[in-house]
Amino acid sequence: MKQYDNVVIFNHPLINHKIAILRDEKTSMKEFRELIEEITTLMTYEALKEGVPTVEKTVTTPLETCQQTVVADNAIAIVPILRAGLGMVNGIHVLFPSARVGHIGMYRDEETLEPKEYYCKLPDGIENKLVLLVDPMLATGGSACDAIDLLKKRGCKNIKFMAIIGAPEGISKVAESHPDVNIYVSTQDRQLNENGYILPGLGDAGDRLFGTK
């Protein structure tokens, strides 16, 4: 696959270990959900090394006062693409418990594989925040691109997209459609099958998260 300046593919041993368990068809719903959150936390730590709004704050230690860099209040918004993206929210809240959460609802037309929007609710002032758009699976890239388009129409200028598993087709589509958006993917898988599912993948992330299949 072509290399893109706005794409980071992680190759972290802890993440790889957790993804191996995540893929296993025998992994329980509870463990699957916990692994999604843990991987998301590790990804967020790496993805937010730069580009996070910060301010200087005076802190009083037991010995003296000092200046410390902190994340600006109300600077981050989390936007999961429904429904599987919900599984990643708590993994970010571990690090940013006060981050506001918006929701973008999309489903994939089973015949055309094109995304269809059915719901959108975003926090006030989201255009001034760093937006973390999340979805565990980046398959064709259609839903991610449409969600980014929607955020940009709302005035968002600082967007990071995070997916746990991505197919080369989807990564390329998002990277080329939105070169100004940084894309973070834990693992790049081999390809999509004829039904638009990632191979080897892990099945339907939403079904495995919520026990609907």
Side-chain angles (χ1 to χ4, degrees), residues 28-83:
S28 69
M29 181 179 65
K30 176 180 181 294
E31 190 174 12
F32 188 92
R33 186 169 57 246
E34 291 170 347
L35 286 164
I36 289 285
E37 293 177 6
E38 291 167 4
I39 293 168
T40 302
T41 299
L42 292 170
M43 292 182 65
T44 303
Y45 177 81
E46 292 292 330
L48 270 63
K49 282 183 175 178
E50 56 185 34
V52 181
T54 59
V55 296
E56 292 296 310
K57 178 181 179 181
T58 300
V59 177
T60 302
T61 79
L63 299 176
E64 61 181 25
T65 60
C66 64
Q67 290 298 113
Q68 191 71 45
T69 301
V70 298
V71 177
D73 289 339
N74 203 24
I76 293 173
I78 309 166
V79 180
I81 298 176
L82 302 180
R83 64 184 165 145

Side-chain angles (χ1 to χ4, degrees), residues 62-139:
L63 299 176
E64 61 181 25
T65 60
C66 64
Q67 290 298 113
Q68 191 71 45
T69 301
V70 298
V71 177
D73 289 339
N74 203 24
I76 293 173
I78 309 166
V79 180
I81 298 176
L82 302 180
R83 64 184 165 145
L86 288 171
M88 299 177 70
V89 172
N90 286 345
I92 302 172
H93 267 157
V94 168
L95 300 177
F96 300 101
S98 63
R100 304 292 177 88
V101 181
H103 300 87
I104 295 177
M106 292 187 175
Y107 69 92
R108 183 170 62 173
D109 187 294
E110 294 300 326
E111 293 184 1
T112 66
L113 303 183
E114 292 297 317
K116 303 291 183 181
E117 177 191 337
Y118 66 88
Y119 183 77
C120 181
K121 180 71 172 179
L122 302 173
D124 291 338
I126 194 170
E127 66 276 6
N128 300 315
K129 303 180 190 298
L130 165 60
V131 180
L132 301 179
L133 179 67
V134 296
D135 193 351
M137 309 298 283
L138 176 54

Side-chain angles (χ1 to χ4, degrees), residues 102-210:
H103 300 87
I104 295 177
M106 292 187 175
Y107 69 92
R108 183 170 62 173
D109 187 294
E110 294 300 326
E111 293 184 1
T112 66
L113 303 183
E114 292 297 317
K116 303 291 183 181
E117 177 191 337
Y118 66 88
Y119 183 77
C120 181
K121 180 71 172 179
L122 302 173
D124 291 338
I126 194 170
E127 66 276 6
N128 300 315
K129 303 180 190 298
L130 165 60
V131 180
L132 301 179
L133 179 67
V134 296
D135 193 351
M137 309 298 283
L138 176 54
T140 65
S143 294
C145 283
D146 282 6
I148 293 169
D149 285 337
L150 191 155
L151 289 170
K152 287 182 174 180
K153 288 178 183 177
R154 299 293 182 93
C156 298
K157 299 179 179 63
N158 190 5
I159 304 168
K160 293 177 183 285
F161 175 72
M162 296 199 307
I164 292 176
I165 292 180
E169 299 91 332
I171 295 170
S172 295
K173 180 178 177 66
V174 180
E176 293 175 5
S177 299
H178 297 283
D180 57 330
V181 173
N182 289 328
I183 302 159
Y184 301 89
V185 180
S186 286
T187 296
Q188 178 182 303
D189 274 9
R190 188 176 71 251
Q191 67 185 74
L192 297 177
N193 67 12
E194 65 277 7
N195 296 316
Y197 282 92
I198 301 173
L199 298 175
L202 47 73
D204 188 295
D207 286 341
R208 297 191 67 181
L209 277 164
F210 304 116

